[in-house]
Each structure stands twice: as structure tokens, then as C-alpha cells.
């Protein structure tokens, strides 16, 4: 998901998904995952008047899929297109 805040727990909700809702990604095979595409059906309004808001890519991984904390590494390759209008 894309959110205006980074997730700090085991859920993706609220401000963790307020830009783009979460989408399940298939299991990795030979360290590769099939490409995923998600288009948000609606639009939202985020007030960034003070300029402090960021966009965070939030991911959750099933605990059963983690061997140990020191060996897990996630590398992402791709692009995210975000359209916006500055009002005022």
C-alpha cells in the first residue's frame, strides 16, 4: 500500500493505506515475483499545506515466510505514478 504514514504494526489500515489500498502480491519463486498492477478506482484529498507529508510504501510479510531477521532482504524495482493538483 501507499500511505501518508509508515506502518508500525502488523496491519495496513488508516493512514497506512490512505493513498493506495493494499494489494496482495503472489509468492516469490527463485526470488522473483510476478509484476503487480493496482489502479485506485477513486480519488482522495490529502492536505499537505505545511509540506510535511510524505508517501510511504508499506509492506507486510507473513511471519511464516521469514527465516530470520538477518537474512531477509527485500529489493523493489519498478515505478509508482502519483498524480496531484496543488490548490491555492
Amino acid at each position: 500500500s501507499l500511505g501518508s504514514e509508515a506502518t508500525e504494526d502488523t496491519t495496513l489500515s488508516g493512514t497506512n493505506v490512505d493513498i493506495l489500498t493494499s494489494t496482495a502480491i503472489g509468492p516469490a519463486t527463485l526470488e522473483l515475483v510476478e509484476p503487480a498492477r493496482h489502479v485506485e478506482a477513486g480519488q482522495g484529498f490529502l492536505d499537505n499545506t505545511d509540506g510535511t507529508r510524505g508517501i510511504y510504501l508499506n509492506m507486510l510479510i507473513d511471519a511464516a515466510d521469514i527465516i530470520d531477521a538477518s537474512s531477509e532482504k527485500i529489493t523493489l524495482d519498478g515505478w509508482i505514478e502519483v498524480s496531484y493538483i496543488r490548490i491555492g
Side-chain angles (χ1 to χ4, degrees), residues 7 11-12 15 34-35 42 51-52 55 65 69 75:
T7 188
T11 64
L12 292 176
T15 55
E34 289 296 316
T52 60
I55 296 177
D65 295 334
T75 303

Side-chain angles (χ1 to χ4, degrees), residues 9-84:
D9 54 26
T10 59
T11 64
L12 292 176
S13 61
T15 55
N16 305 146
V17 296
D18 60 354
I19 296 172
L20 184 68
T21 57
S22 61
T23 302
I25 299 173
T29 305
L30 299 174
E31 298 183 6
L32 298 173
V33 176
E34 289 296 316
R37 179 181 177 160
H38 181 84
V39 177
E40 199 67 18
Q43 58 197 23
F45 178 81
L46 296 172
D47 184 0
N48 192 26
T49 303
D50 64 1
T52 60
R53 254 192 194 203
I55 296 177
Y56 298 88
L57 176 61
N58 294 302
M59 298 180 66
L60 296 178
I61 301 172
D62 291 334
D65 295 334
I66 298 174
I67 298 168
D68 62 68
S70 63
S71 67
E72 296 304 317
K73 183 178 183 181
I74 298 174
T75 303
L76 302 172
D77 182 21
W79 63 92
I80 298 171
E81 294 182 30
V82 178
S83 299
Y84 68 94

